[in-house]
Amino acid sequence: MINKFKNTKSYLDNFSQEIVKLLKIEIGRSRRRRSMNPRGKNITAPIDSTKQLKDSIKSESKEDTNKISYNIESLSYGLTVDEGRKAGKKPPPVKDIAQWIKAKPVRLRDAKGKFVSMDDKKINNLAGVIARSIGFYGTAPVNFISEALEASMGKLNALGDSVGKDVMENVDDILLKIGYIKKGDNYEIRKE
């Protein structure tokens, strides 16, 4: 039956791709983020300096006989970035933070303001400090998902046109499936 609703399916396929596009735009947009650490600095930068989160976002559809569903997927930390992280939780893995430091890249300065060369030991030490700070203070929410969804809601209103078109094209099948019988050009409720 889902195959007969080609207009609706096409619209939902396009809508899910639009959400993916808007999520990628929101991730790449430079935004002000506040530090939860009282000694930390607020920053204005894109969420995903390594582009890994942005590149991981995709839409997948799953069809069964009478339904279709869509999942928007990304790397697991995307939801944590969006919602933030509460203070007092177990720190994130140091190896993940170290990987982020290398990919970003983060550069350290000494007391005189000169850049310091980063070896694995310094990277791991810095990653440990950052991980402990995140565990202790948490992180502020970024809300890029809700902003992307809010931007897409206006486009969802047009879904009714596609559904209506499909219903009109399949009215006979729909009425027969729910228990009517066709007599000429008229439909009657099937009596058992």
Side-chain angles (χ1 to χ4, degrees):
M1 180 79 146
I2 200 70
N3 290 334
K4 292 187 177 189
F5 283 80
K6 65 184 183 296
N7 296 309
T8 303
K9 183 182 179 318
S10 175
Y11 186 87
L12 291 173
D13 286 343
N14 291 333
F15 183 72
S16 70
Q17 289 306 314
E18 177 71 12
I19 290 174
V20 167
K21 180 178 123 190
L22 290 169
L23 285 168
K24 290 181 177 191
I25 289 169
E26 287 297 325
I27 286 172
R29 185 169 65 83
S30 191
R31 56 179 67 230
R32 184 165 172 79
R33 292 176 286 166
R34 66 183 171 91
S35 174
M36 300 301 281
N37 182 334
R39 293 176 295 169
K41 293 181 181 178
N42 293 334
I43 60 168
T44 301
I47 297 168
D48 187 24
S49 59
T50 65
K51 309 288 187 256
Q52 291 177 346
L53 181 59
K54 185 177 181 179
D55 292 343
S56 74
I57 297 176
K58 63 184 180 207
S59 171
E60 291 190 0
S61 64
K62 182 180 177 187
E63 290 184 47
D64 290 331
T65 307
N66 291 318
K67 70 178 180 177
I68 186 167
S69 60
Y70 291 85
N71 289 321
I72 308 291
E73 299 176 353
S74 75
L75 292 172
S76 60
Y77 71 87
L79 195 55
T80 303
V81 170
D82 181 65
E83 295 175 348
R85 183 181 170 111
K86 292 186 188 223
K89 286 188 149 192
K90 180 180 172 188
V94 172
K95 73 176 183 64
D96 291 347
I97 303 288
Q99 190 176 28
W100 171 79
I101 290 169
K102 289 176 185 177
K104 184 164 174 72
V106 173
R107 297 180 69 195
L108 289 181
R109 295 179 188 258
D110 64 15
K112 295 179 183 177
K114 293 184 180 181
F115 286 110
V116 176
S117 63
M118 299 285 283
D119 58 18
D120 284 342
K121 183 178 179 184
K122 287 179 184 169
I123 289 172
N124 285 329
N125 286 341
L126 177 59
V129 170
I130 292 171
R132 282 190 300 280
S133 178
I134 290 171
F136 188 77
Y137 294 108
T139 58
V142 176
N143 298 319
F144 73 93
I145 294 174
S146 57
E147 289 176 15
L149 291 175
E150 191 174 302
S152 70
M153 283 300 116
K155 295 178 178 161
L156 193 56
N157 292 336
L159 175 61
D161 296 339
S162 296
V163 172
K165 195 181 232 183
D166 284 334
V167 168
M168 293 307 291
E169 290 175 6
N170 295 291
V171 73
D172 287 340
D173 291 340
I174 293 169
L175 290 173
L176 293 172
K177 187 161 184 101
I178 63 172
Y180 283 83
I181 54 173
K182 187 171 183 175
K183 292 189 175 179
D185 288 338
N186 297 317
Y187 293 91
E188 294 179 5
I189 295 178
R190 185 179 305 153
K191 297 175 183 168
E192 305 277 333

